[in-house]
């Protein structure tokens, strides 16, 4: 039987040649500068934390645009969003290094619901088909491979991508994020949708204090895990 590592390598290889969303405005990292800035990870965010044995998978919307990818050399750098995520993780007992530092056994696997790169800046519009395509081809496969105790989705798009990839009931993001208990995935993992921790959402939809309260559920679920 193929090992988890070999299955992951195959998944990354499939991502590198995927062109499903090219006609609708996305560019595969493998196509930027002839792949010089790409990596052996499923996506740019996973280069920061990509523990295949993680107890916690965090799914973001999408990494960003081509210009940022080139400017940052294909890696994450310190940002208000990344620092807020580090604080939220620390509040549930999970410590990670400041980007771009990574640890092989961080206990965290970071990924995005759409793995390729858009144009027009971080706030450029996104298309539903990107999430549909990536969810079917890569997102569910990553979660099934890692088999985490908890999957946290940051924001509505990431939640909907996981929900649809696993054919879960069509609950709205607001309802799912405020239910106070997790949703079960058909792989013994628990789904916890939370609000995105970027500055815009912190200012308009979910204040800092409320986000830390939301993550208390993640802390309880991790603590109740048999391998905690």
């Amino acid at each position: 039987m193929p090992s988890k590592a070999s299955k992951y390598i195959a998944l990354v290889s499939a991502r590198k040649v995927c062109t499903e969303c090219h006609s609708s405005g996305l560019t595969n990292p493998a196509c930027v500068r002839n792949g010089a800035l790409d990596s052996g990870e499923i996506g740019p965010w996973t280069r920061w934390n990509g523990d295949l044995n993680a107890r916690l998978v965090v799914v973001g919307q999408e990494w960003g645009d081509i210009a940022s990818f080139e400017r940052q050399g294909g890696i994450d750098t310190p940002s208000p969003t990344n620092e807020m995520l580090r604080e939220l993780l620390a509040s549930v007992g999970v410590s990670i290094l400041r980007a771009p530092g990574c640890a092989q056994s961080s206990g965290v696997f970071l990924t995005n619901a759409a793995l390729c790169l858009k144009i027009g800046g971080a706030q450029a519009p996104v298309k539903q088909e990107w999430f549909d395509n990536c969810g079917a081809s890569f997102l569910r496969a990553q979660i099934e491979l890692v088999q985490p105790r908890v999957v946290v989705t940051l924001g509505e798009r990431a939640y909907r991508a996981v929900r649809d990839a696993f054919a879960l009931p069509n609950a709205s993001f607001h309802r799912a994020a405020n239910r106070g208990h997790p949703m079960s995935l058909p792989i013994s993992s628990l789904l916890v949708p939370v609000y995105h921790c970027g500055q815009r959402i912190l200012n308009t939809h979910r204040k800092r204090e409320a986000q830390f309260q939301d993550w208390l559920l993640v802390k309880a679920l991790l603590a109740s895990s048999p391998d905690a």
Side-chain angles (χ1 to χ4, degrees), residues 59-61 113 131 139 153-163:
V59 182
Q61 177 175 289
F131 303 99
L139 182 57
T153 52
L154 299 179
E156 183 171 2
R157 288 282 189 179
Y159 158 67
R160 284 165 48 188
V162 173
R163 179 197 69 188

Side-chain angles (χ1 to χ4, degrees), residues 60-196:
Q61 177 175 289
E62 34 78 34
W63 189 86
D65 69 344
I66 296 173
S68 298
F69 185 72
E70 292 185 306
R71 185 173 60 253
Q72 296 175 206
I75 61 174
D76 267 83
T77 56
S79 69
T81 298
N82 284 341
E83 287 304 299
M84 181 62 181
L85 178 59
R86 288 183 70 238
E87 290 186 48
L88 289 165
L89 289 170
S91 76
V92 303
V94 179
S95 177
I96 63 173
L97 299 172
R98 180 171 284 109
C102 63
Q104 191 171 14
S105 301
S106 67
V108 179
F109 186 92
L110 303 176
T111 192
N112 291 111
L115 294 171
C116 288
L117 307 166
K118 59 186 180 181
I119 58 173
Q123 300 304 319
V126 297
K127 298 180 181 180
Q128 182 58 42
E129 66 183 280
W130 300 348
F131 303 99
D132 293 340
N133 291 339
C134 220
S137 297
F138 300 107
L139 182 57
R140 177 168 181 159
Q142 291 173 75
I143 295 171
E144 289 179 333
L145 179 64
V146 177
Q147 293 278 327
R149 167 66 171 168
V150 181
V151 177
V152 171
T153 52
L154 299 179
E156 183 171 2
R157 288 282 189 179
Y159 158 67
R160 284 165 48 188
V162 173
R163 179 197 69 188
D164 295 347
F166 284 94
L168 299 180
N170 191 25
S172 70
F173 169 69
H174 178 76
R175 179 180 177 185
N178 289 279
R179 61 190 280 145
H181 55 90
M183 306 169 72
S184 295
L185 298 178
I187 55 167
S188 302
S189 296
L190 299 171
L191 172 62
V192 179
V194 299
Y195 286 79
H196 198 279

Side-chain angles (χ1 to χ4, degrees), residues 22 26 169 178:
H22 280 204
L26 285 187
N178 289 279

